[in-house]
Amino acid sequence: VYSNGDRKVTIHLKAVHWSDGKPLTARDVTFWINLLRANKNNWGEYAPGYFPDDVTSVATSGQSTVVLDLASQVNPTWFTFNELSQIVPIPQHAWDKTSPTGPIGNYDETQAGAHAVYKFLDAQSRNLNTYATNPLWQVVDGPWRLSRFSPDGYAAFVPNKSYFGHKPMLARFVEVPYTSESAEYDALRSGSLTYGYVPISDLGQKALLESQGFQVTPWYLWSMNIIPMNFNNPSQGALYRQTYIRQAMQRLINERQLESAVLNGYGITDNGPIPNGPSTQYVDATVKAGPLAYSLAAAKSLLESHGWHPGAGGVAVCARPGTGSQQCGAGIKAGTPLRFTMVYAAGVASISQEAQALKSSFSQAGIDLALTQQPASQVYAAAVPCTSKQSDCSWGMAYWGNGWEFSPDNYPTGEVAFATGAVGNFGSYSNPRMDALIKATTTQPGQGPLNAWQDYTAEQLPMLFMPVSPVQVSAISTKLHGAVPQPADGLTLTPEFWSLSK
């Protein structure tokens, strides 16, 4: 409930219990907020000035009401979908401690105490071997609890008998890891899986799987597919900071061709921060049309008009250094080559094919793109905000095949990915006008502010945009009931609704 000119939010909690029988209370909400406030720079959703910075006070009323006072008036749609949806109540009565054998307290209510609790919980979470045995992680409020886990990704779940909602019909739910796409596909073909994923490169065998009793369905997320660029890279950063260079690179991404040749027709064009699909009311006509669609001629013209001429090996070099409208730009010396590096996630054939296609396309305009591949986890770990003086700021571009996700629990604004200083602003892009346009979407209702922001983002390109591919193509056995094709609202499985027949 919003009041005081949309400066106060009152939250009434449902009657829910933890798996140990204790009630979920307002204190479990304030516990999460207190830990976040004291450790916000470790939170991937943090953007300076937004949650929790925009909350001036947090109070409780009885066991089931939380009251937030806000620093200024907000757009209630945005605050509900983007801020309140991030709150995850956690069990204060079981987790508010600073050591395995220490007592439960109210440590989170001081800055130092909240630091200590976070440090303890974070350390416990890093021990993957104890995920299924650590008493901390057995206190849950969902339909399942973890019964077995191994660091390679094997996870077995059994029903939480205290769950307040729809109780699972299966006795056990197991997630099985595979070393490669092909290994999992072989398991599907052999019949040892009731639910698996089909590599995009194997979709030509869709009819065969269907004849074996599988429903084959692509799973699209409502998300951007992005290539972050490191604006603070010591050698490449000055190039990334030139809007016209980013625009030239976007002009060289032939999304239609990638969708056809690499993604077997399963791609969705992404021209800006609000993707064209799945269908949404929020993307406007400008972004839908693609203001910087593929054009080799337009890319070459942009570079030539700013003083880039062919050099050794066909790589363009800066022939007109300077900051004028027809010069290379600030920080770019004469003779500097248009040379970039990109690390991409290994193990997925379509991602590798897309990276090679980019290298080939970029070269046609005189841009040299050096590629390396690493495990996806290492790509995620490398592509983080940094300063040019940090030793780990050497990454240039990064690609892992997807990006920031929207869902019905989100209003598609840009504070997490594009605002100055945001943890999720991987490349450290900073632009006062962008910040102002983002702020307008969070304070003013209606499509107008969203249109202004998304159009400017599609022109500015804080990150490059790639076609959205299915996060996976699911093969679901017809013997598995209730496992409907996945929604666009996130990486969510609901096996509590599943059942098996012989």
Side-chain angles (χ1 to χ4, degrees):
V1 177
Y2 287 81
S3 59
N4 190 28
D6 296 331
R7 292 177 174 84
K8 182 185 292 287
V9 187
T10 303
I11 306 165
H12 302 287
L13 305 181
K14 294 180 180 180
V16 176
H17 284 77
W18 297 102
S19 54
D20 61 2
K22 301 288 186 181
L24 190 155
T25 70
R27 185 69 179 89
D28 298 318
V29 175
T30 62
F31 180 46
W32 183 86
I33 294 176
N34 289 342
L35 291 186
L36 174 61
R37 280 180 153 176
N39 303 278
K40 59 190 180 184
N41 289 323
N42 294 325
W43 187 41
E45 299 286 334
Y46 177 63
Y50 297 95
F51 200 86
D53 297 348
D54 52 4
V55 178
T56 57
S57 69
V58 181
T60 61
S61 178
Q63 280 203 325
S64 61
T65 303
V66 181
V67 180
L68 308 179
D69 284 308
L70 310 181
S72 59
Q73 181 180 3
V74 297
N75 173 357
T77 301
W78 166 78
F79 197 84
T80 299
F81 287 170
N82 289 32
E83 305 286 66
L84 297 184
S85 67
Q86 298 176 41
I87 295 176
V88 181
I90 52 179
Q92 186 271 337
H93 71 277
W95 291 11
D96 200 350
K97 56 196 301 187
T98 59
S99 67
T101 58
I104 299 294
N106 291 302
Y107 305 106
D108 64 297
E109 293 183 339
T110 69
Q111 181 88 352
H115 277 304
V117 172
Y118 176 85
K119 184 178 180 180
F120 164 66
L121 293 175
D122 182 57
Q124 295 291 297
S125 75
R126 293 173 187 271
N127 189 349
L128 274 63
N129 289 312
T130 65
Y131 267 24
T133 57
N134 191 324
L136 290 169
W137 316 139
Q138 291 297 311
V139 183
V140 298
D141 63 347
W144 304 88
R145 64 178 181 81
L146 193 63
S147 63
R148 183 183 165 195
F149 184 87
S150 60
D152 65 0
Y154 179 96
F157 301 85
V158 295
N160 168 19
K161 296 180 180 179
S162 300
Y163 183 52
F164 63 95
H166 188 285
K167 291 182 170 52
M169 294 176 279
L170 299 176
R172 191 171 63 136
F173 167 61
V174 181
E175 294 184 340
V176 185
Y178 289 89
T179 56
S180 67
E181 288 183 314
S182 58
E184 181 166 359
Y185 182 62
D186 290 343
L188 263 178
R189 290 282 310 277
S190 70
S192 62
L193 286 176
T194 54
Y195 189 139
Y197 312 133
V198 184
I200 289 177
S201 58
D202 289 314
L203 282 174
Q205 300 186 51
K206 177 182 176 182
L208 176 61
L209 284 170
E210 290 173 336
S211 71
Q212 293 179 320
F214 285 97
Q215 176 188 12
V216 181
T217 309
W219 183 2
Y220 291 100
L221 294 181
W222 187 34
S223 64
M224 297 178 274
N225 187 9
I226 55 174
I227 299 179
M229 298 163 281
N230 185 1
F231 287 76
N232 287 336
N233 179 288
S235 59
Q236 302 169 40
L239 299 173
Y240 294 130
R241 287 193 289 271
Q242 308 306 314
T243 304
Y244 76 89
I245 291 180
R246 302 195 300 274
Q247 291 175 338
M249 288 195 289
Q250 186 67 51
R251 285 285 199 184
L252 293 168
I253 299 176
N254 193 338
E255 294 199 45
R256 300 286 188 184
Q257 186 181 67
L258 293 174
E259 291 163 19
S260 173
V262 176
L263 302 177
N264 282 312
Y266 280 85
I268 296 175
T269 301
D270 185 5
N271 298 317
I274 304 180
N276 284 352
S279 180
T280 170
Q281 62 179 317
Y282 293 120
V283 63
D284 73 359
T286 299
V287 172
K288 188 175 291 185
L292 291 167
Y294 173 77
S295 172
L296 175 58
K300 286 182 174 180
S301 177
L302 274 169
L303 297 175
E304 291 169 0
S305 67
H306 286 82
W308 293 90
H309 292 175
V315 178
V317 295
C318 175
R320 292 201 303 270
T323 58
S325 60
Q326 295 183 329
Q327 295 177 306
C328 299
I332 301 175
K333 298 178 180 179
T336 298
L338 266 181
R339 183 166 283 130
F340 301 101
T341 59
M342 187 173 85
V343 58
Y344 65 93
V348 180
S350 59
I351 291 178
S352 178
Q353 291 166 7
E354 287 177 319
Q356 295 295 334
L358 284 188
K359 179 180 178 65
S360 176
S361 182
F362 279 20
S363 69
Q364 295 179 57
I367 299 175
D368 179 49
L369 182 62
L371 300 175
T372 58
Q373 57 178 320
Q374 294 180 2
S377 59
Q378 294 182 27
V379 179
Y380 302 146
V384 295
C386 57
T387 64
S388 58
K389 295 182 180 180
Q390 290 177 286
S391 59
D392 58 354
C393 205
S394 60
W395 69 277
M397 299 162 65
Y399 184 53
W400 50 84
N402 52 49
W404 280 111
E405 171 195 334
F406 299 119
S407 77
D409 289 334
N410 287 118
Y411 190 58
T413 55
E415 65 277 2
V416 170
F418 306 119
T420 299
V423 173
N425 182 348
F426 306 116
S428 304
Y429 170 85
S430 181
N431 182 318
R433 185 180 176 193
M434 175 70 75
D435 291 339
L437 289 171
I438 291 173
K439 191 67 176 178
T441 66
T442 70
T443 56
Q444 303 170 24
Q447 188 67 27
L450 268 183
N451 289 352
W453 166 70
Q454 64 180 295
D455 292 351
Y456 187 67
T457 306
E459 170 199 315
Q460 273 287 302
L461 300 168
M463 303 172 185
L464 300 179
F465 296 104
M466 293 281 286
V468 176
S469 61
V471 66
Q472 64 203 34
V473 178
S474 300
I476 306 171
S477 171
T478 54
K479 297 178 182 179
L480 182 61
H481 307 288
V484 297
Q486 302 90 335
D489 62 354
L491 289 167
T492 303
L493 295 174
T494 54
E496 61 271 24
F497 296 104
W498 298 357
S499 62
L500 274 171
S501 62
K502 293 184 179 179

